[in-house]
Amino acid sequence: MPENPSGDEEALSPHERSNVPFEGLPGAERWVVYSGGERVGSVDVRDDGAEALVDYRVDTNGRGAKLREHIGLDPSGLPRRWEIDGTSLMGGAVRERFTVAGNRCEWTSQADEGDRPAHPPALYLANDTSPYASGVYARAALAAGGTVDALPSGKLTVKHLRPVRLAGTDLEAYVLAGVGLFPEFVLLDEQRRMVAKLGGTLMVREVVVREDHADAYPELVALDRELGAHHARRIQHRIRHRFDTPVRVRDVRVFDPHTLTLTGPCSVVFFRGRVTAVERGSELTSGEVQIDGQGGTLLAGLHDMHTHTTAAAGSFFLAAGVTTVRDMGNDNAMLLDLIPKVDSGELPGPTIVPSGLIEGRSPYSAALGVLPETLEEAIDAVRWYAARGYHQIKIYNSVDPSWPERIAAEAHRLGLRVTGHVPAFTTPDEMMLAGFDEITHINQLVLGWLLDKDEDTRTPLRLTAMARARDLDLDGARVRRTLGLMRRLGVGLDTTAVILERLMLSRAGQVQQGDVPYLYHTPVGYQRYRRRTFVPAKDEEQLRAYEESFPVLLRVMAMLHEAGVPLWPGTDDGTGFTLHRELELYVAAGIPAARVLRMATLDCAEHLGRGWRSGSVELGKDADLVLLDGDPTLDISAIRRIRMVVKRGDVYFPAEIYPELNIAPFGESPAIQTGVSQ
């Protein structure tokens, strides 16, 4: 902190003033950040209309951004100066600057740098920022009539949804679009000041609310679900195609996961959610709907085996060909409300198979699922999940290492499987012997070979320690022992390799290989978000350690596959695009593309106990189908070229879904003929 013996705040420069403590300053307000019902952070703001000082801090699941912002605003509410310093989610350094000087504006961030004429004026979208930015954006867009040009490019829109009464205060609810991939809902008072921010993520949602309304958190949770469902319901109305007659997809080659080959040209017919014919040729029946496959590949719907699902994520999954997801821990009330709405077709989305998360109490706890104080409460949570039809129990970082054996025994007694992170201060080997049926995340497995037992994996160390993997001896005794246990006990691995690639290879200003095929179709805010460094690194040598370590993780995947250990592709994400990259990484590890397709379809379905009804294109099974151009058995990246998706007989076209999500489409929909006669 700069010295200021006089105590005169105005004597300090704008950047120095941004480092003055907020306590006791006139006009300071606080917003509370909630996640899963827990207070996990705060946003302290001093905003006089011309200048805002912001202090943003979050601590959840052992991580969280720490940012200080100084924002200078012009009379229309557009930023003329925006300075941001601190660290991002995983501890990466942030130093972002935007200025308007004379007739030019300039910016520099982790993602990019640039300049352009200051006229016509435009709204700068900060790359690393606090939730308070949503209030700044909403006010500026409203002052411009609802739509404002954005920097570095694009437009931001704000639309009025409806009046809201919160804790006796009349507010207005708006939806922001054009910042990222997903809608943000903001509640504004009569002076257009932000009172709360909802939504804004594809995974577990945060609620940010001004402290004088913090007691209204339960109302905000309900409102968040209501607005999110309302938005998704409107999208579903526009993108869902239902047919009361049989639908014939003709001139396709079907992927057979049993033989790992494509059939010759054939037709697939489905009616009322079931496949009713797979036949050579195109023998029509009267009144059919006919869809021209144009020689493309038809395969069963894909699985993402590691998600944290929300209503907003459903459309993204469908557009990517994902018709089944395994939810790996969530706000339980939200998820139990969401599942029947998706199953009935009220909301768009894949079939959701839920896992019940159990986390321990610690300063690093993830605010999801159930956080028991005692082993008895943890056992009760297992019974709660079993009674509601959950598929499995997921144990998390802060669980007492002495608990999993009892938790697993009760879960197995009730017919539930057990998976999870490896709790801090124990090892994968010990957890497998305690009853784990599966390990979650490849880094959680590899940590057992890299760390001393007293190192705390409740912190970001569970991710940043992957930089040590370049020196790992894959022929060493620790590795051989773990692989032997996995084979003997039948333990599998939920890999999420794509998240490790995204973390370890993220570099400021660069687009990762897995993001190149889609990123420039997305809103500029999301493009910039993907072009930044997530890992903390003091120098180039530390970055090189990450680069040299990631290929080791791919070699581990290859070793596991060769040893017969089941691998389950998952993403820990909700965009759909990341599953495509996950499958590409499986092939990069040396697993044949056709075998990877089987993993993502039939193997996953059988693992979830659903192989009798899904996972392959066969007579009598669910009509969960994906039509794409090309042959993914020869080039796995063909999985990205999706033209149509069918989920239990409902037909969706990505070319229609993506514009609803502010994403430019990637191709055209197939031709449809209705009421075809013989």
Side-chain angles (χ1 to χ4, degrees):
M1 184 185 304
E3 294 183 3
N4 183 27
S6 70
D8 180 6
E9 184 200 346
E10 295 304 319
L12 300 175
S13 71
H15 179 60
E16 289 172 331
R17 286 202 303 277
S18 73
N19 290 319
V20 172
F22 284 83
E23 184 177 356
L25 288 181
E29 295 181 294
R30 168 167 287 186
W31 277 256
V32 178
V33 182
Y34 284 96
S35 178
E38 303 280 330
R39 288 192 180 208
V40 298
S42 61
V43 188
D44 290 299
V45 181
R46 184 187 178 198
D47 187 345
D48 63 8
E51 185 175 78
L53 304 177
V54 183
D55 186 356
Y56 172 48
R57 296 177 178 275
V58 168
D59 286 290
T60 180
N61 199 8
R63 58 197 178 194
K66 312 287 187 295
L67 300 172
R68 302 297 299 269
E69 301 180 82
H70 170 239
I71 311 170
L73 302 167
D74 70 14
S76 68
L78 291 175
R80 296 186 60 83
R81 177 174 59 249
W82 204 323
E83 301 176 355
I84 309 172
D85 294 277
T87 56
S88 59
L89 176 70
M90 296 303 303
V94 172
R95 179 178 169 81
E96 184 169 352
R97 297 291 184 267
F98 169 76
T99 59
V100 178
N103 62 357
R104 304 293 296 181
C105 55
E106 300 179 350
W107 64 90
T108 179
S109 73
Q110 284 204 69
D112 52 19
E113 59 182 41
D115 68 280
R116 53 148 274 183
H119 299 283
L123 172 64
Y124 179 70
L125 303 180
N127 190 38
D128 289 280
T129 188
S130 69
Y132 192 71
S134 296
V136 174
Y137 299 155
R139 286 200 308 269
L142 286 170
T147 301
V148 61
D149 289 336
L151 288 174
S153 63
K155 293 183 181 293
L156 182 139
T157 62
V158 59
K159 294 182 180 179
H160 182 257
L161 293 176
R162 66 176 180 82
V164 172
R165 189 165 180 81
L166 184 68
T169 304
D170 291 325
L171 305 171
E172 300 295 334
Y174 295 85
V175 59
L176 284 175
V179 181
L181 284 182
F182 23 85
E184 298 182 13
F185 306 111
V186 292
L187 306 185
L188 305 183
D189 62 17
E190 58 184 10
Q191 285 82 39
R192 292 182 173 174
R193 297 182 307 162
M194 187 177 76
V195 174
K197 173 184 176 293
L198 311 172
T201 72
L202 283 178
M203 294 172 63
V204 179
R205 293 190 170 194
E206 287 184 344
V207 171
V208 182
V209 57
R210 205 167 62 197
E211 193 166 38
D212 59 335
H213 286 72
D215 290 344
Y217 173 75
E219 296 175 58
L220 287 166
V221 170
L223 182 63
D224 185 25
R225 292 182 197 159
E226 179 187 336
L227 295 177
H230 174 72
H231 186 77
R233 194 178 295 113
R234 292 175 64 181
I235 291 177
Q236 174 77 325
H237 178 73
R238 293 189 289 266
I239 65 175
R240 180 193 195 192
H241 297 267
R242 305 202 77 186
F243 300 101
D244 295 327
T245 60
V247 177
R248 178 180 297 271
V249 188
R250 65 176 182 85
D251 189 18
V252 292
R253 296 172 298 162
V254 174
F255 173 67
D256 184 345
H258 302 287
T259 63
L260 304 181
T261 61
L262 301 185
T263 67
C266 65
S267 292
V268 174
V269 182
F270 60 90
F271 178 59
R272 293 180 177 171
R274 292 285 185 272
V275 174
T276 54
V278 180
E279 57 192 23
R280 302 282 182 177
S282 300
E283 296 296 327
L284 302 179
T285 60
S286 180
E288 285 184 348
V289 170
Q290 187 175 166
I291 297 174
D292 188 355
Q294 295 182 310
T297 298
L298 193 73
L299 67 156
L302 302 173
H303 292 68
D304 188 331
M305 296 291 275
H306 194 123
T307 71
H308 302 276
T309 315
T310 64
S315 299
F316 287 87
F317 282 125
L318 291 178
V322 179
T323 59
T324 304
V325 298
R326 182 172 63 171
D327 188 285
M328 294 294 283
N330 219 312
D331 178 305
N332 292 326
M334 183 280 291
L335 191 65
L336 291 174
D337 179 68
L338 177 64
I339 289 174
K341 290 178 179 177
V342 171
D343 286 345
S344 69
E346 177 185 346
L347 301 182
T351 298
I352 301 169
V353 180
S355 305
L357 190 143
I358 297 176
E359 168 69 309
R361 287 280 181 184
S362 82
Y364 308 101
S365 296
L368 285 176
V370 177
L371 281 73
E373 302 282 355
T374 66
L375 175 58
E376 290 69 27
E377 291 179 2
I379 297 298
D380 187 63
V382 173
R383 296 167 183 157
W384 189 94
Y385 285 126
R388 287 157 180 79
Y390 278 65
H391 171 67
Q392 65 183 8
I393 296 300
K394 179 184 177 185
I395 293 171
Y396 212 62
N397 299 314
S398 295
V399 167
D400 186 317
S402 68
W403 291 6
E405 186 171 7
R406 287 279 306 280
I407 292 173
E410 183 65 8
H412 292 154
R413 185 183 74 82
L414 296 170
L416 279 65
R417 300 178 67 261
V418 177
T419 186
H421 288 205
V422 175
F425 313 119
T426 186
T427 68
D429 294 8
E430 290 174 348
M431 291 301 96
M432 286 188 278
L433 292 171
F436 272 40
D437 301 297
E438 185 178 327
I439 302 292
T440 295
H441 304 299
I442 190 169
N443 59 299
Q444 290 287 323
L445 179 70
V446 174
L447 286 173
W449 310 328
L450 297 176
L451 299 184
D452 294 329
K453 198 171 179 179
D454 61 352
E455 293 186 275
D456 193 347
T457 55
R458 298 172 300 177
T459 71
L461 180 66
R462 65 182 181 271
L463 297 167
T464 57
M466 289 299 100
R468 307 179 193 180
R470 65 177 176 177
D471 300 319
L472 181 61
D473 178 8
L474 295 180
D475 293 321
R478 296 176 78 177
V479 176
R480 292 199 307 272
R481 171 180 164 80
T482 299
L483 264 62
L485 275 175
M486 296 181 84
R487 287 194 300 266
R488 178 164 65 85
L489 300 176
V491 174
L493 176 68
D494 159 19
T495 49
T496 65
V498 64
I499 295 302
L500 274 299
E501 179 190 46
R502 175 155 286 170
L503 173 80
M504 297 169 70
L505 303 187
S506 62
R507 299 293 180 266
Q510 298 180 20
V511 179
Q512 291 192 24
Q513 182 179 349
D515 295 327
V516 170
Y518 74 89
L519 191 62
Y520 295 107
H521 288 244
T522 67
V524 67
Y526 188 74
Q527 293 181 33
R528 301 180 78 216
Y529 174 77
R530 289 269 66 97
R531 296 199 302 268
R532 61 179 183 173
T533 300
F534 289 91
V535 291
K538 296 178 181 179
D539 51 39
E540 287 298 319
E541 174 58 26
Q542 284 191 322
L543 292 176
R544 187 159 47 250
Y546 286 114
E547 292 170 0
E548 294 174 358
S549 293
F550 183 72
V552 176
L553 301 187
L554 297 184
R555 291 200 290 274
V556 170
M557 290 170 58
M559 289 174 58
L560 293 169
H561 176 65
E562 291 167 4
V565 173
L567 302 178
W568 313 117
T571 66
D572 210 1
D573 188 41
T575 66
F577 300 120
T578 44
L579 181 68
H580 301 155
R581 182 57 179 169
E582 178 84 352
L583 302 184
E584 289 173 343
L585 290 174
Y586 273 52
V587 174
I591 305 172
R595 188 68 186 83
V596 173
L597 289 176
R598 175 180 169 125
M599 290 178 177
T601 54
L602 184 59
D603 285 357
C604 285
E606 291 179 342
H607 185 56
L608 296 175
R610 297 171 51 83
W612 62 275
R613 64 178 296 178
S614 63
S616 58
V617 184
E618 295 184 63
L619 180 67
K621 286 195 172 184
D622 287 349
D624 287 353
L625 311 169
V626 180
L627 173 66
L628 51 86
D629 286 333
D631 182 350
T633 66
L634 300 177
D635 175 14
I636 193 62
S637 293
I639 204 71
R640 295 180 181 271
R641 300 195 292 273
I642 297 174
R643 302 185 67 201
M644 180 183 73
V645 179
V646 182
K647 191 265 180 128
R648 292 190 185 175
D650 290 342
V651 178
Y652 298 89
F653 302 110
E656 296 178 354
I657 298 175
Y658 282 126
E660 298 285 346
L661 307 176
N662 297 308
I663 298 173
F666 299 86
E668 298 181 352
S669 303
I672 302 177
Q673 290 180 276
T674 59
V676 177
S677 301
Q678 288 181 303

